[in-house]
Amino acid sequence: MIDRDRFPVDPWRLVETRYSADDVGVTESVFAVGNGYLGLRGNHPEGRHAHEQGTFVNGFHEIFAIRHAEQAFGLAEQGQALVNAPDAKVMRVYVDDEPLMLETADLREYERVLDLRTGVLTRTVHWTTPSGKEVRIEFERMVSFEEKHLAIMRVTVTVLGADAPVTISCQLLNRQDGEDVYGGTPVVTKKAGFDPRRSDTFHERVLIPQEYWQDELRSVLAYRVAASGMTIAVVADHVVETENEYSVRTLVEPDIAKNVFRVQAKAGVPVTVTKLVSYHTSTGVPARELVDRGRRTLDRIRDEGVAHQFERQAAWCAAFWDRSDVVVEGHDELQQAVRWCLFQLAQAAARADGLGVPAKGVTGSGYSGHYFWDTEIYVLPFLAYTTPRWARNALRMRYLMLPAARKRAGQLSEAGALFPWRTINGEEASAYYAAGTAQYHINADISFALAKYVRATGDEEFLHREGVDIAVETARLWTSLGFWRFGEQGDAESFHIHGVTGPDEYTTVVNDNLFTNVMARFNLRFAARTVREMAHDAPEAYRLMAQRLSFDPAEADAWEAAAEAMHIPYSEGLGIHPQDAVFLEREVWDLENTPESQRPLLLHFHPLVIYRYQVLKQADVVLALFLQGNHFTAAEKLVDFEYYDPLTTGDSTLSAVVQSILAAEVGYRDLALEYFRDSLFVDLGDLHHNASDGVHVASAGGVWTALVCGFGGMRDHYGDLTFDPRLPADWPSLQYTLHWRGTALRVTVTATALTIAAGPGDPVEFSVRGVPHRVAGGETVVVALDGQGPVREGRPRLGEIAEARREDGSLLSASVPDPTSAFPLLETVGEVQADLEDGS
């Protein structure tokens, strides 16, 4: 999957040893640096020839009217899209007035490194100029984790063996509205093909200039976003260090600011230019106020010193790895990719600070910078168990969205709150309701993440003050959306939820989607239990909640009753849980005989074609088996997995991690490892051919879950910490850290033992394969293991499904949609002579 000559294995660094323009979009994503608030794509400082010259600030967006081909009441009316912030990455180098251009340069040495221990991107080149001069250029780029609004870029140029004039041109550019390094509109070299996952572009001016000025070596560009009204200010300062003589020239216009340093470089005497950049944004503060904030940021950084910022960054990273690292012994290739994925989670969430975690983090414009359910199901577990503060911040984002979610529920004639499927500002931005708004399960996903966070941390203060509002309002929606079915005697028998879409977007707007019903049941029970415990343990917080939400105690009884009666689909004939009420009535899509040229399906078949078949974009029932595994038996998990795995395309990057976890649990050990590798190299190997649009943050979060919950066997159902490991046969050991209610637990799994070493803190109770244990703070407990669970060879196949029959006795058959397939069927029908009930 990866050219290891160009990208060698290194457990702590992502290294590129040769420049190539062939995959520049992918390398821009995988070498991006960010902190959750600010992100800089891995564009080269020369500032030309990129897939996407991107600088992104979390939540910094424009709005626009959604134009539906056919309008209907309640459809999303206003879209939101991430705005490409002014670009400060450009630091162009000229020697003898010849520019360094990587595409044509004679490079004797090239190395680009993202060091995961220091949080710094570096690039070193040895360039032979057209006149034969040897030049060494070293570049550094960092987005600070400690200073939310700060980015630092530094270039050092040394001419070797000869004197030469050197120019370093540092620029700020408004690329959103079409400026390139020369101040003009860039030429689009090729048009990308259709891909619904890619962000739309704006055709009108987006950033309206508010301020642009320079003061000595400091440059300022500030803007207001045309329709959303958001504001941004970019302030850049420059520090020059050299023993060479130099002069400075500046230029500032509304969309470009230049600080140009002209140096008379002596042989072997370096010149270093450091650019300090501060980004500040707001939903309503005037741009001038943001300029003042940026100036204060840079004044403080200059007083502290640039070197100190790099020291703080390295110390921050060391602390992050101490509480977050996962060690796969003996497999450096996997180790490198694992650490890269975990680092992406830090870059996406560390300084989100009450904002959401976009699907692409701050590494690209894919999915328009929107927040999805990805955060709660795939990213929050990592945050809650390694850095709980980040998880709390992400959950507060949902709490702050409650007013808009209540409004949205009202538009859809429901009570409570309905969180948007995709959003930045809290309003629904999904124009395709069937695979968007209809995914009501996002309500339960958010409540599930809230419960997981509270159980892992014991943070009842957050639950009682803000989290309970989420639990109550989401529960109210389920009792409004669902309905009761009554028996012949008029007594309530079962509770149903119709007209929804589950995680599998290849099956939309169905009745009794199993995942939705199972998760809604959890949501209802969690809300009922929370308010009752508050009434008993925190009466004042309960009183305030009841007053704030107009809560009636009878609501909790209704929630509990609906949960207990929730209909969970089950097929007696096949012995499996159907994905929804009619899923098994559809024909089976023969994935094994679907050519790769027709994958992914969403790019080659109309949705209506896909909707008519049993075929999955991503794990649906299987995800329910993992998240709510305490409600399914081991036997049920096995038969469900064996039925659905051959039907799952994996067209979604969210799928492989879940399939890996369940494959490991039910015994398909080799298959689990195969799925794990698929998820691990989603971006580094560009397995879905869209890594150029940004990192798949949820998949990176899923990698952690696959390691800890899949191979590491950790579960936390009902807030009880349990372990049942499934270590791959050729892994000597797996080590990870969990933070359980304030106590750090370092867990080591080998073929014969599970070891838990506790840091300072309260004792922790846990169980291993049903046997209870307890570890005190500062102590270590070793538990012997008898094997790694059941072992099953190969993988489930479609052929096994084809032998099964539906409830009505009809035989399941698999096929690939083909307009010519009807002709042999007609011939077969012609050969059959039979009387129908009407005599025909």
Side-chain angles (χ1 to χ4, degrees):
M1 295 183 289
I2 299 176
D3 178 354
R4 286 304 181 183
D5 288 329
R6 182 179 168 206
F7 299 100
V9 172
D10 186 316
W12 281 107
R13 305 186 307 159
L14 180 65
V15 181
E16 181 186 33
T17 63
R18 184 179 71 255
Y19 172 77
S20 174
D22 295 338
D23 58 356
V24 65
V26 175
T27 57
E28 287 168 11
S29 294
V30 300
F31 282 102
V33 290
N35 63 8
Y37 171 73
L38 172 65
L40 310 180
R41 277 177 68 80
N43 307 118
H44 289 282
E46 290 72 37
R48 292 175 58 81
H49 302 292
H51 172 81
E52 179 182 31
Q53 295 280 2
T55 300
F56 301 107
V57 178
N58 192 352
F60 184 61
H61 69 279
E62 177 62 305
I63 59 175
F64 54 91
I66 297 177
R67 295 177 175 84
H68 298 276
E70 295 185 20
Q71 187 62 267
F73 178 81
L75 295 182
E77 299 176 352
Q78 189 180 87
Q80 307 129 41
L82 198 65
V83 171
N84 197 348
D87 183 8
K89 298 189 296 295
V90 178
M91 300 180 78
R92 304 202 80 200
V93 174
Y94 302 78
V95 177
D96 288 332
D97 296 326
E98 294 290 336
L100 170 62
M101 301 180 65
L102 296 183
E103 299 82 3
T104 58
D106 182 0
L107 299 180
R108 303 305 173 89
E109 178 187 345
Y110 172 95
E111 183 181 68
R112 179 162 54 163
V113 177
L114 176 59
D115 193 319
L116 307 178
R117 291 165 298 188
T118 64
V120 178
L121 175 69
T122 60
R123 192 198 70 184
T124 302
V125 299
H126 188 127
W127 172 36
T128 300
T129 71
S131 64
K133 292 178 180 176
E134 304 295 317
V135 185
R136 182 175 179 83
I137 302 173
E138 300 164 283
F139 178 77
E140 295 175 282
R141 179 184 295 160
M142 179 186 82
V143 174
S144 174
F145 287 111
E146 291 282 10
E147 295 286 345
K148 174 179 177 178
H149 302 279
L150 176 67
I152 299 177
M153 285 147 275
R154 180 160 61 192
V155 63
T156 298
V157 181
T158 308
V159 182
L160 307 174
D163 299 346
V166 171
T167 300
I168 301 174
S169 177
C170 299
Q171 304 178 19
L172 299 180
L173 296 171
N174 172 16
R175 293 190 185 276
Q176 174 63 61
D177 294 305
E179 298 296 319
D180 66 13
V181 294
Y182 299 114
T185 302
V187 176
V188 179
T189 56
K190 66 177 181 178
K191 183 176 178 63
F194 166 75
D195 189 335
R197 301 162 296 190
R198 189 173 290 119
S199 175
D200 290 331
T201 57
F202 296 102
H203 301 290
E204 306 294 334
R205 186 174 180 95
V206 174
L207 296 177
I208 310 302
Q210 302 295 293
E211 290 196 27
Y212 54 96
W213 51 263
Q214 290 175 321
D215 181 9
E216 296 182 349
L217 299 185
R218 182 169 285 184
S219 298
V220 172
L221 295 180
Y223 302 89
R224 175 180 55 82
V225 183
S228 74
M230 293 194 72
T231 49
I232 187 170
V234 185
V235 184
D237 220 341
H238 302 80
V239 179
V240 183
E241 300 170 276
T242 185
E243 295 180 4
N244 296 302
E245 294 183 1
Y246 70 93
S247 62
V248 183
R249 183 178 179 182
T250 62
L251 167 72
V252 65
E253 296 174 355
D255 291 320
I256 187 170
K258 290 185 179 182
N259 290 79
V260 182
F261 304 93
R262 294 190 278 192
V263 185
Q264 298 301 316
K266 301 297 183 182
V269 180
V271 55
T272 298
V273 177
T274 302
K275 181 192 286 189
L276 308 173
V277 189
S278 180
Y279 285 80
H280 285 263
T281 56
S282 174
T283 56
V285 172
R288 176 162 295 181
E289 162 67 15
L290 299 183
V291 171
D292 290 341
R293 295 180 189 178
R295 294 168 71 182
R296 290 195 294 270
T297 298
L298 296 189
D299 288 344
R300 185 179 67 256
I301 299 307
R302 291 199 64 160
D303 290 342
E304 294 175 352
V306 174
H308 181 57
Q309 306 311 317
F310 284 90
E311 293 168 359
R312 295 175 72 195
Q313 184 85 339
W316 188 98
C317 289
F320 168 76
W321 290 116
D322 182 62
R323 65 179 184 270
S324 311
D325 196 14
V326 179
V327 180
V328 180
E329 184 185 357
H331 294 272
D332 284 352
E333 180 190 27
L334 300 183
Q335 187 67 76
Q336 179 188 43
V338 166
R339 287 190 174 126
W340 182 87
C341 286
L342 300 185
F343 191 71
Q344 298 312 307
L345 297 174
Q347 293 201 135
R351 299 312 304 269
D353 293 0
L355 296 167
V357 179
K360 298 292 185 180
V362 283
T363 66
S365 61
Y367 290 115
S368 302
H370 290 165
Y371 316 137
F372 292 79
W373 71 304
D374 303 20
T375 301
E376 282 74 26
I377 296 301
Y378 293 89
V379 179
L380 256 295
F382 169 78
L383 304 184
Y385 277 110
T386 60
T387 313
R389 168 62 63 177
W390 300 353
R392 177 176 171 138
N393 285 342
L395 289 167
R396 285 208 76 243
M397 176 272 293
R398 294 299 190 182
Y399 168 76
L400 295 173
M401 285 184 177
L402 272 174
R406 293 186 181 105
K407 177 182 176 182
R408 184 61 174 158
Q411 289 177 328
L412 272 72
S413 303
E414 307 296 348
L418 175 59
F419 284 98
W421 180 241
R422 55 188 300 173
T423 189
I424 296 177
N425 63 10
E427 301 287 342
E428 178 63 82
S430 176
Y432 184 47
Y433 74 89
T437 297
Q439 296 200 52
Y440 288 82
H441 66 83
I442 189 172
N443 263 26
D445 303 335
I446 293 169
S447 284
F448 179 80
L450 170 65
K452 181 177 286 287
Y453 164 76
V454 173
R455 289 169 177 175
T457 64
D459 188 0
E460 293 188 352
E461 185 272 338
F462 173 72
L463 175 64
H464 295 167
R465 186 166 58 86
E466 296 179 344
V468 64
D469 293 27
I470 295 174
V472 167
E473 295 288 38
T474 52
R476 284 171 169 170
L477 178 123
W478 295 119
T479 52
S480 170
L481 177 66
F483 63 94
W484 288 91
R485 283 277 168 85
F486 297 91
E488 294 182 359
Q489 306 302 319
D491 53 327
E493 290 188 343
S494 57
F495 192 80
H496 298 260
I497 299 173
H498 284 186
V500 300
T501 299
D504 168 34
E505 295 175 358
Y506 284 175
T507 313
T508 66
V509 193
V510 298
N511 296 342
D512 287 322
N513 169 254
L514 181 129
F515 178 88
T516 302
N517 285 16
V518 166
M519 294 297 286
R521 180 176 64 183
F522 172 89
N523 193 165
L524 291 163
R525 287 172 173 167
F526 172 65
R529 183 168 58 253
T530 297
V531 296
R532 287 169 177 164
E533 289 177 353
M534 285 179 63
H536 184 268
D537 300 330
E540 179 59 16
Y542 174 83
R543 184 187 67 80
L544 293 173
M545 177 278 297
Q547 182 181 38
R548 185 170 65 248
L549 302 179
S550 301
F551 173 72
D552 184 338
E555 289 185 83
D557 296 333
W559 298 338
E560 194 168 66
E564 293 303 315
M566 185 69 68
H567 176 67
I568 306 299
Y570 185 75
S571 167
E572 294 289 348
L574 294 176
I576 66 167
H577 292 90
Q579 185 169 297
D580 58 68
V582 300
F583 184 81
L584 298 181
E585 296 179 13
R586 298 183 174 94
E587 297 305 304
V588 176
W589 191 302
D590 188 353
L591 286 179
E592 293 181 4
N593 292 302
T594 301
E596 285 299 319
S597 61
Q598 293 183 316
R599 309 281 287 267
L601 302 188
L602 80 165
L603 299 186
H604 298 90
F605 294 90
H606 189 282
L608 286 177
V609 176
I610 299 173
Y611 295 163
R612 296 186 182 109
Y613 282 79
Q614 290 186 42
V615 64
L616 282 65
K617 181 182 179 185
Q618 67 194 71
D620 193 302
V621 171
V622 171
L623 180 57
L625 299 178
F626 166 53
L627 298 182
Q628 291 289 279
N630 51 315
H631 294 289
F632 299 90
T633 67
E636 289 174 333
K637 292 177 185 179
L638 176 61
V639 295
D640 283 344
F641 179 80
E642 291 183 332
Y643 187 87
Y644 288 103
D645 192 68
L647 302 179
T648 306
T649 64
D651 288 349
S652 168
T653 58
L654 301 180
S655 193
V657 291
V658 179
Q659 291 169 276
S660 175
I661 293 168
L662 258 293
E665 182 175 347
V666 302
Y668 285 98
R669 184 156 53 179
D670 293 340
L671 181 59
L673 193 56
E674 178 182 332
Y675 280 133
F676 174 70
R677 290 183 64 92
D678 287 346
S679 60
L680 186 61
F681 292 100
V682 158
D683 291 310
L684 292 176
D686 193 23
L687 300 188
H688 288 245
H689 310 297
N690 63 349
S692 57
D693 296 327
V695 167
H696 294 82
V697 174
S699 180
V703 163
W704 182 88
T705 306
L707 287 164
V708 172
C709 299
F711 304 130
M714 187 276 285
R715 299 290 187 276
D716 60 354
H717 300 309
Y718 290 126
D720 297 328
L721 194 58
T722 66
F723 299 90
D724 186 3
R726 298 288 191 270
L727 190 70
D730 65 341
W731 289 16
S733 70
L734 170 68
Q735 184 180 97
Y736 56 91
T737 299
L738 301 173
H739 294 258
W740 184 257
R741 298 171 188 168
T743 301
L745 304 175
R746 198 170 301 277
V747 183
T748 303
V749 179
T750 66
T752 59
L754 180 142
T755 302
I756 295 185
D762 295 332
V764 174
E765 295 182 352
F766 63 96
S767 67
V768 179
R769 296 178 177 170
V771 179
H773 298 273
R774 185 176 187 270
V775 61
E779 294 186 352
T780 298
V781 171
V782 179
V783 181
L785 297 176
D786 181 13
Q788 294 294 321
V791 177
R792 293 181 169 83
E793 302 298 332
R795 66 188 304 159
R797 313 300 300 192
L798 268 174
E800 299 167 10
I801 294 178
E803 301 298 324
R805 293 184 179 275
R806 300 181 178 86
E807 298 287 336
D808 62 4
S810 60
L811 192 68
L812 287 171
S813 60
S815 61
V816 179
D818 181 354
T820 66
S821 62
F823 296 110
L825 176 62
L826 290 174
E827 295 174 4
T828 302
V829 171
E831 297 173 358
V832 176
Q833 300 295 322
D835 293 330
L836 300 179
E837 290 186 4
D838 63 0
S840 61

